[in-house]
Amino acid sequence: MAESRATRRTVLKTGLAAVAALAVAGCSTDGGIPSSGGGGGDFDFTAATPAGELIPAESRQTAPAFAGELLDGSDFASSSLAGQIVVVNFWGSWCAPCRVESPEFQAVSTDVADAGVSFLGVAVRDQRQLAQAFTDDFAITYPSLFDPSGEIALTFRGFPANVVPTTILIDRDNRVAGVYVSAVAEEDLRAILQELLAEDPSGTPTTSPPDD
């Protein structure tokens, strides 16, 4: 009996530790989504970008083209965002960290909408009705692709799409400037977007002209 109780305590502690880790790192999708696939572009995921940092301009790879159906049923193609900075956020209505992150993303998207920054959600491993209710509940105004099978994620080769939330930043030259495989804090998102906005289209930081 004592051994059985000790075993149950060990299992309980292990389970609580797993839940805690999941809450910090994000949610895994049921069954997972294969983390490699085709798609155009040169991007091939090798490692997550540290929080609050960007991939150096000289190391950025071309983002793949992708297309799909938005939650409202209309068609979408990534080519419609050409020349803009794009924040692609993979989320699910079943994901607890997404419930914290999404309202913060909405606030940031409103503040930078006129600066040439577009936000795009991707609802993965979800039901359309639940995903739509999620965006309604949190008053999310930027569009979200409905991607229950993870096809959009597969266009980003090697991208660990079984972890949600995950955010990909794309610069004005359609290059992947950051891949964050956990929730992104609002202050970090604002800081890295300001860095991208300060770059010229070639990825070089702009500088003020010298005083006479």
Side-chain angles (χ1 to χ4, degrees), residues 153-165:
L154 292 179
T155 65
F156 292 88
R157 291 194 302 267
F159 166 59
N162 60 321
V163 179
V164 177

Side-chain angles (χ1 to χ4, degrees), residues 29-47:
T29 55
D30 288 341
I33 301 173
S35 61
S36 63
D42 301 323
F43 177 78
D44 195 353
F45 178 83
T46 56

Side-chain angles (χ1 to χ4, degrees), residues 130-204:
L130 295 177
Q132 186 61 62
F134 181 95
T135 61
D136 292 343
D137 288 346
F138 291 108
I140 306 299
T141 59
Y142 54 83
S144 278
L145 285 161
F146 182 55
D147 189 31
S149 61
E151 293 181 9
I152 303 301
L154 292 179
T155 65
F156 292 88
R157 291 194 302 267
F159 166 59
N162 60 321
V163 179
V164 177
T166 296
T167 298
I168 295 177
L169 288 184
I170 300 175
D171 67 15
R172 294 187 183 97
D173 291 314
N174 192 42
R175 299 174 303 177
V176 175
V179 182
Y180 309 96
V181 295
S182 61
V184 177
E186 181 177 349
E187 58 269 25
D188 287 339
L189 180 59
R190 291 184 183 276
I192 54 185
L193 286 177
Q194 287 304 313
E195 286 189 51
L196 283 178
L197 286 167
E199 295 178 353
D200 65 21
S202 66
T204 305

Side-chain angles (χ1 to χ4, degrees), residues 9-96:
R9 284 197 297 270
T10 300
V11 171
L12 178 59
K13 289 179 181 179
T14 302
L16 291 174
V19 170
L22 185 63
V24 172
C27 305
S28 293
T29 55
D30 288 341
I33 301 173
S35 61
S36 63
D42 301 323
F43 177 78
D44 195 353
F45 178 83
T46 56
T49 310
E53 297 183 20
L54 294 172
I55 297 171
E58 64 273 14
S59 300
R60 296 175 193 171
Q61 300 172 324
T62 305
F66 57 91
E69 183 180 293
L70 298 175
L71 283 177
D72 64 8
S74 59
D75 293 332
F76 172 86
S78 59
S79 58
S80 65
L81 301 176
Q84 300 182 53
I85 293 169
V86 184
V87 181
V88 184
N89 178 242
F90 293 81
W91 61 273
S93 64
W94 39 266
C95 170

